[in-house]
C-alpha cells in the first residue's frame, strides 16, 4: 500500500504565543491532517490553533553544514550587550 | 448590523481580558488598518534608520567601533523585516509597502531626517534615539496584536546592545580631550529635542491615541513615555558630565518627575511635512537602492524559474526512459 503523505503539526497553546512544532502524522489531505492533529495532539486542551504543513514542503538545513552555518555567529561577541563596558552605577541602560 | 456590533463587543471583551488577537481572528476593519499603518511605519523607520548610521561605517575611528556599528545597522535591517512580516499577517503586501515608502506616501520616524554630522552623533543616536525607541518598543511587547507583540519581544532583545554601544561612544568622548568632549556635547545639543519629539505629538493633539489605547495597541500615552524617557536620561547625561540643552529642566518633588521645557512643535510638523534637512536625501537613497536592486530581484527570480524548469524536464525525461 502506498503511504499517505506525512504532515508536520504545529500548535499554538494560547493566543499570544507562537505555533510550536509538536510532531507529525499521516493523512490523505490537509483536511484529514487537521482533524487528526486535533484528535492526536489537542485532546487535553493543548491548543487554540493548529497548523499542518506537508513535510515535503519543509526545507531543512543539513546537520553536516552546521559548522559553516552557525559558527560564524560565535565570535561576534559585539552583537551582545555585555560586550560594552559601562559602569555599574549607571541605570536603565 | 447587530451581528457586527456583537462581533465588536466580543473583540473588545477579548482585548479587555488581555487575550491577544491573532491573524485569523475577527477584528474591526479600523483595528486592522490602524495596525497596518503603525507597523509599516515602524518597519519603514527601521529601514530608513539605517541611513544616518550607515553614513559613518566607513569612517568609524577603529575596528571595534566599526564592527559594532555594522552589527547594529544589520540588526535594523532585520527589524524592518520582522515588522514587514507582521504587517503581512494583516493582509498588507510587501511590495506595496515599499512603493508607499518610496513615493513619500508612507511616513517613517522623523528623527531620521536629521543628519549625522560627526562621529559623536553615532554615540548620541545609539544612546538617545535607540533609547527612545526602546522605551516605545518595550511598551509594544504588550500590544494586543500577537504577531506585532512577538516581533517586539525579539527586537527589544536585540536593541539593548544598540543603546549600550552608543553610550559607550559618548562616555569615551566625554572622558577624552576637551575637543572630544565638546563634540559629544554638540551631538547631545542637536539630538536631544528631536529625540523627545520621537514620542509624537502631545496627548492633547494626538488624534489616534484614544482609540489605540482602548484597543490596547498602545498602553502608554505619548506624554507618559516622553516623561519616562526624560527621567531616565537626565542621570545618564549627568554621568557623562554633559549638559542637556534645556534651561527649564528641573526636578519636581511634588510630581516625582523632571519638568522640562516646551517642545518646538512647529519644527516637528515641518519635518513631518517633508521639510527636514534630510527628507529628500533619505527618499532618494531608498529609491536608488530599490531601483538599482531591481535587476538582482529579477535575476534571482529568473534563476529560480530556470531551476524548476530543468528539474521538471529531468523528471519527465526520467519517466519517458524509465
Ligand atoms: Fe528601531
Ligand atoms: Fe531597531
Ligand atoms: Fe536599534
Amino acid at each position: 500500500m502506498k503511504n499517505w503523505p506525512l504532515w508536520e503539526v504545529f500548535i499554538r497553546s494560547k493566543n499570544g504565543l507562537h505555533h510550536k512544532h509538536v510532531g507529525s502524522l499521516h493523512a490523505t489531505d490537509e483536511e484529514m491532517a487537521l482533524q487528526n492533529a486535533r484528535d492526536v495532539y489537542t485532546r487535553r486542551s493543548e491548543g487554540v490553533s493548529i497548523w499542518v504543513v506537508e513535510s515535503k514542503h519543509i526545507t531543512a538545513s543539513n546537520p553536516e553544514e552546521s559548522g559553516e552555518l552557525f559558527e560564524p555567529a560565535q565570535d561576534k561577541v559585539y552583537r551582545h550587550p555585555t560586550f560594552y563596558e559601562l559602569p555599574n552605577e549607571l541605570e536603565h541602560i | 448590523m447587530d451581528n457586527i456590533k456583537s462581533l465588536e463587543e466580543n473583540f473588545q471583551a477579548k482585548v479587555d481580558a488581555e487575550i491577544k488577537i491573532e491573524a485569523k481572528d475577527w477584528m474591526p476593519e479600523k483595528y486592522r488598518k490602524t495596525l497596518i499603518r503603525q507597523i509599516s511605519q515602524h518597519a519603514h523607520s527601521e529601514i530608513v534608520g539605517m541611513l544616518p548610521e550607515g553614513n559613518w561605517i566607513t569612517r568609524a575611528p577603529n575596528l571595534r567601533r566599526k564592527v559594532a556599528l555594522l552589527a547594529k545597522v544589520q540588526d535594523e535591517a532585520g527589524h524592518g523585516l520582522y515588522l514587514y512580516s507582521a504587517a503581512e499577517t494583516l493582509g498588507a503586501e510587501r511590495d506595496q509597502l515599499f512603493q508607499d515608502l518610496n513615493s513619500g506616501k508612507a511616513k517613517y520616524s522623523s528623527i531620521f531626517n536629521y543628519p549625522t554630522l560627526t562621529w559623536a552623533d553615532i554615540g548620541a543616536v545609539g544612546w538617545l534615539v535607540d533609547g527612545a525607541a526602546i522605551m516605545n518598543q518595550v511598551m509594544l511587547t504588550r500590544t494586543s496584536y500577537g504577531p506585532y507583540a512577538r516581533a517586539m519581544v525579539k527586537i527589544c532583545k536585540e536593541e539593548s546592545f544598540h543603546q549600550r554601544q552608543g553610550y559607550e561612544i559618548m562616555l569615551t568622548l566625554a572622558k577624552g580631550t576637551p575637543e572630544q568632549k565638546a563634540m559629544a556635547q554638540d551631538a547631545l545639543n542637536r539630538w536631544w529635542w528631536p529625540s523627545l519629539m520621537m514620542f509624537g505629538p502631545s496627548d492633547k493633539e494626538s488624534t489616534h491615541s484614544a482609540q489605540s489605547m482602548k484597543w490596547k495597541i498602545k498602553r502608554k500615552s505619548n506624554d507618559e513615555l516622553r516623561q519616562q524617557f526624560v527621567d531616565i536620561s537626565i542621570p545618564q547625561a549627568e554621568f557623562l558630565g554633559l549638559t542637556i540643552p534645556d534651561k527649564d529642566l528641573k526636578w519636581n518633588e511634588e510630581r516625582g518627575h523632571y519638568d522640562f521645557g516646551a517642545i518646538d512643535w512647529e519644527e516637528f510638523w515641518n519635518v513631518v511635512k517633508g521639510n527636514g534637512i534630510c527628507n529628500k536625501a533619505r527618499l532618494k537613497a531608498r529609491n536608488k537602492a530599490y531601483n538599482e536592486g531591481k535587476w538582482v530581484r529579477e535575476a534571482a527570480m529568473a534563476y529560480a524559474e530556470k531551476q524548476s524548469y530543468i528539474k521538471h524536464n529531468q523528471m519527465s525525461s526520467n519517466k519517458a526512459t524509465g
Side-chain angles (χ1 to χ4, degrees), chain B residues 2 6 10 24 37 56 94 140 156 170 172 187 203 209 242 291 295 306 311 317:
Chain B
D2 277 357
S6 76
N10 238 322
K24 297 186 93 175
R37 195 192 65 235
W56 278 92
R94 180 83 55 112
L140 289 171
C156 283
M170 291 302 272
T172 308
D203 297 347
S209 263
L242 298 179
N291 294 335
W295 73 268
K306 191 174 154 195
K311 216 164 118 191
S317 78

Side-chain angles (χ1 to χ4, degrees), chain A residues 12 15-18 78-81 83-87 89-93, chain B residues 20 22 25 64 67-68 74 150 160-161 163-165 167-168 171 232 236 239:
Chain A
R12 186 203 301 287
N15 269 27
L17 301 178
H18 285 291
Y78 49 85
R79 287 177 179 164
H80 298 273
F83 179 73
Y84 302 89
E85 286 156 32
L86 299 186
E89 56 265 49
L90 208 62
E91 282 184 319
H92 305 293
I93 196 160
Chain B
K20 295 280 185 233
E22 294 293 347
D25 295 344
R64 186 178 185 276
V67 290
Q74 190 182 30
R150 290 191 290 275
S160 152
F161 110 68
Q163 198 190 14
R164 289 175 68 90
Q165 68 89 36
Y167 195 85
E168 199 191 63
L171 194 57
I232 281 177
Q236 294 171 353
F239 190 87

